[in-house]
Amino acid sequence: DSSVSPFSYRDIIQEGDLALVWISRDNIKPIIVDANHMFNTRYGSFSHKSMIGKPYGSQIAIRTKGQNRFSFIHVMQPSPELWTLSLPHRTQIVYTPDSSYIMQRLNCNPCSTVIEAGTGSGSFSHAFARTVGHLYSYEFHSVRYEQALKEFKDHGLPNVTLTHRDVCSDGFTIKRNDPTSYLFQDDAAQATINANAVFLDLPAPWDAVPLLDQVIARDQKVGVCCFSPCIEQVDKTIEALEKCGWTEIQMVEIQGKQWESRRQMVRTLDDALERLRDVRRRKEEGIERRKQMYDAVLKDDEADGEKSERPQPPKTKFNPFGKGTRVREGDVNYQWKQVTKVEPEIKSHTSFLTFAFKIMDKSRIC
Ligand code: SAM
């Protein structure tokens, strides 16, 4: 059924589905399942046919040519998070650590009406589309607008309205005859938007901020988040927000790092010292052994024939750490302690997030 969104839940992989092939953590590729196609990777080719009928999340394995080994992929159902990791980049995008935090701060829920500019690659649009009631997204680059229009239609996102617009000069109001996917159902000259959350990922958000009053809800607390990579942009944005009556202004930076938790072998100082002594002892024994071996070889030469046996090195005498052998983490024969390691690199910083809030009509009507 083509009217069903590829992002809506299903169990079984079917012909025509948009599926995401997980090759590795940072290599996920979207495919449209087609029984006549192969999915090629450097590890081998996987037929789409072998995926059809299997449950989403299945592992598909093939035997690597000429080797007695297997290569495998996993076929995943699209979700906004996986789409963000696999989508074709047309611009810089917003990643899940930022988008999830922003939606939470803007109190996004199924009753929210959200404005987003610009659409870019539609990464955040997919996350908004799953969570909010309606998303009004704006993009001024005509090719990107057309690509996003097609993509949102293919992905069956019925709660997204996309408009081709320079929001910094022309604002957010959607009128009849504007290039937009908005469906005018009555005689209204313009769309009623009443947004209660706004997300601006633009190079000059300060130009768009004064134009928001025309489209935000008047009777609610409205939140805005501006996504800017430079602190100078943050400065200019805050100036514009203050001038336009936005309050509770706060700038936040999301720094995502991985924390690795694992067990480390406990090594006492005495054990370490004894092990070093053992190494030294064995080195001395080795020198002695080699000397004996040369003497024996010389003797054999003199005796002309009879070979004396080569002396075997004695086995390691003291090795409390299992060095040289494969010790499984947590092996009960050793003592372990739980440790965490923080990744030195920050993985998810892309921009500064400036939040602000506004209530247009502060008077209460009783
Ligand atoms: N948030 C998007 C995502 O997650 O995929 C990425 C947005 S991208 C960084 C910024 C987009 O804003 C670009 O596609 C650009 O063409 C668009 N843009 C820049 N200035 C604009 C303006 N004045 N009006 C509308 N769109 C604009």
Side-chain angles (χ1 to χ4, degrees):
D1 181 356
S2 62
S3 65
V4 176
S5 162
F7 282 76
S8 51
Y9 182 80
R10 74 194 73 195
D11 286 322
I12 304 295
I13 304 164
Q14 287 169 28
E15 172 88 18
D17 278 4
L18 167 70
L20 304 182
V21 177
W22 179 291
I23 304 161
S24 65
R25 198 189 282 257
D26 40 32
N27 194 3
I28 306 171
K29 293 270 185 282
I31 58 164
I32 302 292
V33 180
D34 178 339
N36 300 316
H37 276 103
M38 299 292 284
F39 178 73
N40 298 314
T41 70
R42 50 192 249 221
Y43 311 106
S45 297
F46 299 81
S47 74
H48 290 202
K49 224 184 222 162
S50 62
M51 305 171 191
I52 295 171
K54 295 223 167 68
Y56 271 103
S58 292
Q59 186 186 75
I60 310 287
I62 50 162
R63 202 180 278 275
T64 315
K65 251 193 203 149
Q67 286 176 32
N68 204 16
R69 287 163 124 211
F70 285 98
S71 293
F72 58 84
I73 52 168
H74 286 88
V75 185
M76 312 296 285
Q77 196 177 15
S79 67
E81 290 76 13
L82 287 178
W83 181 247
T84 289
L85 295 175
S86 62
L87 59 80
H89 276 229
R90 304 185 279 266
T91 59
Q92 294 262 33
I93 64 164
V94 177
Y95 288 91
T96 303
D98 286 313
S99 65
S100 55
Y101 179 79
I102 294 164
M103 283 197 284
Q104 176 267 126
R105 282 290 303 262
L106 296 179
N107 191 23
C108 288
N109 61 64
C111 298
S112 309
T113 300
V114 179
I115 282 177
E116 174 198 39
T119 315
S121 306
S123 164
F124 205 164
S125 316
H126 281 76
F128 273 133
R130 180 183 56 188
T131 304
V132 307
H134 202 94
L135 174 70
Y136 290 90
S137 191
Y138 299 80
E139 173 58 57
F140 81 164
H141 187 281
S142 54
V143 177
R144 270 178 232 144
Y145 165 72
E146 293 296 341
Q147 285 168 324
L149 204 59
K150 179 175 183 312
E151 197 174 87
F152 295 168
K153 189 164 169 272
D154 290 349
H155 292 180
L157 307 180
N159 58 343
V160 180
T161 296
L162 185 60
T163 303
H164 184 216
R165 172 73 56 83
D166 180 340
V167 294
C168 292
S169 57
D170 303 324
F172 300 86
T173 308
I174 305 171
K175 298 204 177 91
R176 279 180 187 279
N177 303 325
D178 279 346
T180 177
S181 64
Y182 186 81
L183 294 174
F184 284 89
Q185 293 192 338
D186 47 29
D187 298 337
Q190 63 184 55
T192 311
I193 296 180
N194 283 341
N196 40 27
V198 180
F199 174 67
L200 300 179
D201 184 358
L202 300 166
W206 48 88
D207 287 333
V209 165
L211 304 171
L212 285 172
D213 284 2
Q214 298 154 17
V215 283
I216 58 173
R218 308 195 71 80
D219 55 350
Q220 293 174 48
K221 184 174 177 177
V222 177
V224 65
C225 172
C226 301
F227 192 79
S228 306
C230 313
I231 202 76
E232 290 78 8
Q233 286 169 307
V234 173
D235 223 23
K236 282 187 87 165
T237 304
I238 291 176
E239 217 174 281
L241 287 167
E242 279 180 331
K243 208 164 150 198
C244 295
W246 292 79
T247 56
E248 298 173 55
I249 298 172
Q250 210 181 54
M251 195 275 282
V252 177
E253 185 188 9
I254 307 291
Q255 294 193 353
K257 288 183 182 187
Q258 284 203 338
W259 284 67
E260 186 194 320
S261 172
R262 60 188 171 85
R263 276 172 291 194
Q264 198 176 56
M265 196 185 280
V266 178
R267 299 165 186 216
T268 66
L269 187 60
D270 284 347
D271 278 349
L273 289 173
E274 187 47 41
R275 162 109 179 106
L276 287 175
R277 284 190 202 107
D278 183 58
V279 169
R280 196 173 57 198
R281 239 180 348 250
R282 283 187 299 123
K283 195 171 157 193
E284 284 163 9
E285 284 168 9
I287 295 169
E288 183 56 31
R289 212 169 39 244
R290 208 167 309 135
K291 201 165 149 282
Q292 284 171 13
M293 197 174 79
Y294 287 139
D295 288 350
V297 169
L298 286 177
K299 243 194 261 159
D300 286 346
D301 280 352
E302 279 164 21
D304 211 10
E306 269 172 64
K307 294 258 177 294
S308 60
E309 230 171 73
R310 190 190 167 111
Q312 289 301 308
K315 285 238 169 345
T316 303
K317 287 178 187 147
F318 187 84
N319 185 357
F321 312 133
K323 216 172 170 192
T325 55
R326 231 174 230 269
V327 178
R328 264 181 178 274
E329 195 180 307
D331 186 328
V332 290
N333 296 313
Y334 299 90
Q335 219 193 325
W336 303 87
K337 64 178 174 195
Q338 195 72 35
V339 292
T340 55
K341 202 174 116 197
V342 189
E343 218 183 11
E345 223 178 291
I346 299 169
K347 280 276 163 64
S348 74
H349 169 82
T350 44
S351 278
F352 298 111
L353 316 178
T354 308
F355 290 94
F357 296 87
K358 186 170 187 172
I359 303 173
M360 293 283 283
D361 290 343
K362 293 207 181 84
S363 62
R364 275 174 196 266
I365 304 158
C366 300

